[in-house]
Amino acid sequence: MPSPALLASYRRLFSAPGAAAFTLAGLLGRLALSMNGVSLVVLLAERRGSYALAGTVSAAGLVTGAIGMPLLGRLVDRYGQSRVAVPAALYNAAPLLALLLCVRLGAPDWTLYACWAACAAAPNLGGMARARWAHLYRDDPAARHLANSLEQALDELCFMAGPVLAMLLCTTLAPEAGLLTAGTLGTTGALLFAAQRRTEPPLPVRASTEQRHGSPLRVPGLRVLVLTFLATGTVFGATEITTVAYADALGHKAAAGGLLALVAAGSCVAGLLFGLLTPRRAPGTRFLAGAAAMAGVLLLPLAAGLGGAGLGVLGVALFAAGTATAPTMVTGVTLVQELLPQRQFNEGMAVAVSGIVVGISAGAALAGTVAEHAAPGTGYALPASAAALALLIALAGRRHLMARKGPAAARKEQAPENPERVVSASV
């Protein structure tokens, strides 16, 4: 049972009018996102009989998503959440339906790649929700920290429930049921989210042409974060594939989903508890501490895998490994908010998340190769090494991570007639 202190701390976030409405709407969109990967793989494996095809089609979507997210983030920075989310959600439904028709009608494989790659314009409701929290509590750093922690925990909750729901729909109803449900939830969530206009952050003051089109990667601290997130994404992708291979080697492949849910559960619990802590150190220092903790705890699954541990011991190790993820990601979001000018928060955060997406794809590919040519537990060396690399990158760039751009500096960018200029972030 959650403690009264835990419930009271998070309940105060929702005292702001409209907070619960945009949170629930955004949760629908994130649940849909977490269902897509499993739904696509099951659909293509069942209808086309090829896991290889499913994997490469999924990879095509990850690549275009990594490119499309920053572009969509730039549009949100320029035109606002509702004006971008509504057309993006309606557009994204078209290639998704086209993919289902192509599979059903036996269209050539290239059409599947084209349709799934075109689904790169899904609005990032998780990032937009974080932007709304930042607007509501722009003068309360402790509340923003609590809100970022809540959002990270909700992300993990979705990625625990989404794949399970997708598998249930695909196996009990029809292989197409997972993607159909995900598409419906995603479109509905985006439209409901966009309808919550009173909590939408106002547009930033228009910048000069040079400022408006300058890449956020010009900020050295963001470059450090992108590289660190790329390594962190490799941790996620490699852990997923290695866990599936390890469970399969023990003759319990069906248990892989539960083991991966334990990773997300560890991160969810850690995120909620992390939000209750009052930040006393600079975000850069907290980020280094989180990266160090992540590198340390990921040695536990490696030890379990190399030692040939059973699923119970491995599950405990994976739960512990997940506990360092949320604090690191929460602090990373805070750093992006502090390092970038407000006019580029959506685009900058999308660039950072693109690094995670690319890392997930690379980690999954590497882990698949290792799983085919080495003993099952050997693959856990990949996430452990990637976490160590993330720490080294953060240490090498710590000077840039400490270059804070706090709320006072942010307010200086505002025009006199716009005193409530706000943070806008996209994940």
Side-chain angles (χ1 to χ4, degrees):
M1 292 286 293
S3 69
L6 180 68
L7 293 176
S9 296
Y10 282 98
R11 191 184 300 120
R12 78 182 185 92
L13 288 176
F14 295 98
S15 62
F22 79 72
T23 300
L24 291 175
L27 199 58
L28 287 178
R30 278 182 283 188
L31 182 62
L33 179 64
S34 69
M35 295 173 62
N36 281 337
V38 171
S39 298
L40 178 69
V41 169
V42 173
L43 172 65
L44 296 186
E46 179 68 22
R47 297 301 189 196
R48 294 297 175 96
S50 173
Y51 279 102
L53 175 65
T56 52
V57 171
S58 178
L62 288 174
V63 171
T64 56
I67 297 172
M69 276 191 294
L71 297 178
L72 201 62
R74 176 173 289 193
L75 292 176
V76 173
D77 281 330
R78 189 176 302 179
Y79 299 111
Q81 293 185 359
S82 298
R83 292 181 64 187
V84 175
V86 172
L90 296 176
Y91 156 81
N92 212 59
L96 179 60
L97 291 174
L99 172 73
L100 292 171
L101 287 174
C102 288
V103 172
R104 191 73 176 176
L105 298 175
D109 289 350
W110 68 264
T111 62
L112 308 182
Y113 289 98
C115 291
W116 194 244
C119 292
N124 193 340
L125 301 186
M128 293 182 189
R130 286 172 169 87
R132 296 193 180 211
W133 288 119
H135 169 49
L136 290 174
Y137 294 107
R138 54 194 175 275
D139 298 321
D140 189 345
R144 291 200 304 272
H145 168 73
L146 192 67
N148 283 337
S149 299
L150 173 66
E151 290 297 320
Q152 186 64 35
L154 292 177
D155 282 342
E156 300 296 347
L157 182 64
C158 287
F159 279 93
M160 282 191 290
V164 175
L165 176 59
M167 184 65 73
L168 181 66
L169 291 169
C170 290
T171 55
T172 59
L173 296 180
E176 294 83 4
L179 278 182
L180 274 173
T181 303
T184 302
L185 288 176
T187 303
T188 303
L191 295 179
L192 290 175
F193 185 91
Q196 312 302 316
R197 297 302 296 270
R198 64 176 173 174
T199 53
E200 180 176 350
L203 285 174
V205 175
R206 290 188 175 273
S208 66
T209 302
E210 180 181 356
Q211 288 177 320
R212 191 166 59 244
H213 295 289
S215 171
L217 285 173
R218 292 181 179 181
V219 178
L222 183 62
R223 295 198 294 269
V224 175
L225 284 173
V226 169
L227 292 175
T228 307
F229 284 167
L230 192 151
T232 304
T234 304
V235 170
F236 299 153
T239 299
E240 180 176 353
I241 299 301
T242 301
T243 300
V244 172
Y246 191 87
D248 191 21
L250 294 182
H252 299 284
K253 187 176 182 179
L259 291 172
L260 293 172
L262 286 173
V263 181
S267 184
C268 181
V269 170
L272 290 173
L273 295 177
F274 184 67
L276 300 180
L277 301 177
T278 302
R280 300 188 184 280
R281 298 182 179 180
T285 303
R286 301 202 307 270
F287 187 74
L288 288 173
M294 190 166 62
V297 295
L298 277 164
L299 295 175
L300 297 176
L302 175 60
L306 293 179
L311 295 184
V313 174
L314 179 62
V316 172
L318 289 172
F319 181 88
T323 58
T325 302
T328 306
M329 300 303 296
V330 168
T331 309
V333 171
T334 302
L335 272 171
V336 173
Q337 292 175 347
E338 298 211 1
L339 289 170
L340 290 178
Q342 294 169 334
R343 64 181 179 274
Q344 291 185 311
F345 279 151
N346 281 287
E347 184 182 359
M349 187 60 73
V351 168
V353 175
S354 294
I356 296 177
V357 171
V358 172
I360 290 174
S361 181
L366 289 171
T369 301
V370 171
E372 289 185 2
H373 299 93
T378 307
Y380 284 114
L382 287 173
S385 300
L389 178 60
L391 175 59
L392 290 175
I393 293 171
L395 285 171
R398 62 186 180 279
R399 177 171 61 89
H400 301 302
L401 296 178
M402 302 301 174
R404 299 180 60 188
K405 183 188 183 308
R411 282 193 291 268
K412 291 180 181 179
E413 293 181 347
Q414 300 173 183
E417 67 274 13
N418 186 21
E420 293 189 348
R421 174 84 173 280
V422 301
V423 171
S424 180
S426 179
V427 156

